[in-house]
Amino acid sequence: MKQFLMTLAAALFISSAALAQDKKENRKEEMIKHRTERMAKDYNLSDKQKQQLLDLNTKYGDMMRPMHRHGHHGMKGQRPEPPKDVKGERPEPPKGDKGDRKEMREKMEKQMKAYEEELQKIMTPEQYKSYKSDMEKRRKEGPRGPRGQNGPKE
């Protein structure tokens, strides 16, 4: 009986891990499809362009972030608190090597450049110009939108 329960517990653990992985993959696929649909609508893409964009977004899916403004935190503008250790104290954030961060940033920049080069081949010059204009606005506004709209008054 004890062996049966241990086997059952192991099977439940393995199946729950597999389900969690499936959910993660499904969320990623949904995010890619949502991003593609939104871009197709925003830039008036044809069905052929939309399919090419879906293929491109799938190819670069790992570098994509959610497109909503408030991140994936709980309430608007609030960041999740880091976990507390056994003593109830917050651990120091990892220092990391600045070289690692620089390499990561360079890698992301190369991927973004490659993505945009392929995107430019898919879109018409007018569509791509509109896309670049929108991206520039988002970069200036930052991840939380324009300053002063939702934040505390100074």
Side-chain angles (χ1 to χ4, degrees), residues 89-107:
E89 298 174 4
R90 302 211 189 280
E92 287 293 317
K95 300 290 184 212
D97 184 9
K98 288 187 180 186
D100 291 343
R101 291 183 195 163
K102 184 177 179 182
E103 286 177 26
M104 183 69 120
R105 185 178 305 124
E106 288 173 356
K107 180 181 175 187

Side-chain angles (χ1 to χ4, degrees), residues 21-152:
Q21 184 65 28
D22 287 345
K23 285 182 182 180
K24 185 177 180 181
E25 287 298 315
N26 286 340
R27 272 189 300 229
K28 183 177 171 183
E29 288 175 16
E30 287 174 20
M31 183 184 76
I32 290 169
K33 287 178 184 175
H34 175 75
R35 182 183 190 96
T36 301
E37 290 292 330
R38 183 169 176 196
M39 288 178 71
K41 182 181 173 190
D42 289 350
Y43 305 111
N44 198 26
L45 302 181
S46 68
D47 289 340
K48 181 180 177 184
Q49 287 175 310
K50 186 176 167 182
Q51 183 57 50
Q52 291 172 327
L53 179 62
L54 178 61
D55 294 342
L56 180 65
N57 286 344
T58 301
K59 179 179 176 181
Y60 288 94
D62 290 337
M63 72 177 222
M64 292 185 179
R65 296 183 186 147
M67 293 181 77
H68 49 84
R69 292 209 180 272
H70 303 294
H72 42 276
H73 312 310
M75 295 172 53
K76 266 188 185 179
Q78 292 183 350
R79 292 190 173 146
E81 291 186 19
K84 295 180 179 179
D85 65 9
V86 180
K87 296 178 185 176
E89 298 174 4
R90 302 211 189 280
E92 287 293 317
K95 300 290 184 212
D97 184 9
K98 288 187 180 186
D100 291 343
R101 291 183 195 163
K102 184 177 179 182
E103 286 177 26
M104 183 69 120
R105 185 178 305 124
E106 288 173 356
K107 180 181 175 187
M108 289 297 290
E109 287 172 0
K110 284 180 185 177
Q111 284 182 329
M112 191 65 190
K113 185 177 180 183
Y115 174 83
E116 289 190 355
E117 285 174 358
E118 291 185 49
L119 182 63
Q120 192 171 13
K121 293 175 186 174
I122 294 170
M123 294 179 149
T124 66
E126 296 81 21
Q127 290 168 332
Y128 188 73
K129 183 179 178 182
S130 180
Y131 165 80
K132 288 298 283 184
S133 174
D134 289 348
M135 290 298 106
E136 202 51 43
K137 285 178 192 173
R138 286 188 183 129
R139 285 184 186 116
K140 287 180 182 176
E141 291 175 357
R144 294 189 198 122
R147 303 284 183 232
Q149 282 187 349
N150 298 324

Side-chain angles (χ1 to χ4, degrees), residues 5-18:
L5 289 175
M6 293 298 281
T7 304
L8 182 62
L12 286 172
F13 177 74
I14 291 170
S15 64
S16 66

